[in-house]
Amino acid sequence: MLTFEQKCTIIEGFEELTRKDVSLGRVNYHFEDSLYEKTTVVYHLHPNGNAFVYTGNLPGYSPNAKGLVNVRDFDEEQLSTIIADSISFLSTEEEILPPEEQTWIDAEGHTLLLTEEDDRWNIYSGENLEDSFGGYEDAAHYLREEGFKRRK
């Protein structure tokens, strides 16, 4: 395991990070040029060597509910890689995906379009909005009750 000082040296090799001392001798490192509200890359680097690095929902990592990965036992290469990945993640605009759309059909051949728009699940018949739901499960339940099945 790398010591506190060794981890600080590795982290401070990333010139885009700013050190901020916090309580109990712990240190955070921020990426001030983040495109998001989140700027903390290294969270609570403790003198005992424990620390967390923000990875959000990056593939290849198993973060906790806050998007943080414990790096206590990481070697130099692993620590450098995860920090570089975090900075890259925070400096890349999130791809805006088109809303998810599903076609539902009933026994008579009528079709409805279920689409996600602005955190709502809307059901359209042609261009007409038929109904709107706060969650996918509610919208799908409604469609099934009305005799519709999702077309694959």
Side-chain angles (χ1 to χ4, degrees), residues 98-143:
E100 182 168 336
E101 294 184 352
Q102 299 174 353
T103 301
W104 290 65
I105 190 165
D106 70 4
E108 297 175 11
H110 300 111
T111 61
L112 294 175
L113 181 66
L114 175 61
T115 183
E116 182 183 19
E117 301 172 317
D118 300 324
D119 297 326
R120 302 286 302 171
W121 286 90
N122 298 325
I123 299 172
Y124 289 93
S125 174
E127 292 184 13
N128 298 323
L129 177 65
E130 294 295 318
D131 215 331
S132 184
F133 296 87
Y136 173 81
E137 291 303 321
D138 292 335
H141 178 75
Y142 169 82
L143 287 165

Side-chain angles (χ1 to χ4, degrees), residues 24-74:
L24 305 172
R26 296 174 298 185
V27 179
N28 289 346
Y29 288 87
H30 292 263
F31 176 54
E32 301 297 343
D33 292 331
S34 174
L35 297 177
Y36 306 95
E37 284 186 40
K38 183 72 170 172
T39 63
T40 307
V41 171
V42 179
Y43 178 73
H44 283 179
L45 173 57
H46 193 276
N48 70 9
N50 197 32
F52 295 89
V53 172
Y54 180 74
T55 61
N57 59 1
L58 279 174
Y61 295 103
S62 298
N64 64 19
K66 294 182 179 180
L68 300 168
V69 173
N70 189 305
V71 295
R72 178 183 182 96
D73 297 323
F74 277 35

Side-chain angles (χ1 to χ4, degrees), residues 83-96:
I83 290 170
D85 288 348
S86 179
I87 292 169
S88 176
F89 179 69
L90 293 172
S91 61
T92 304
E93 284 196 48
E94 184 177 333
E95 181 181 352
I96 305 297

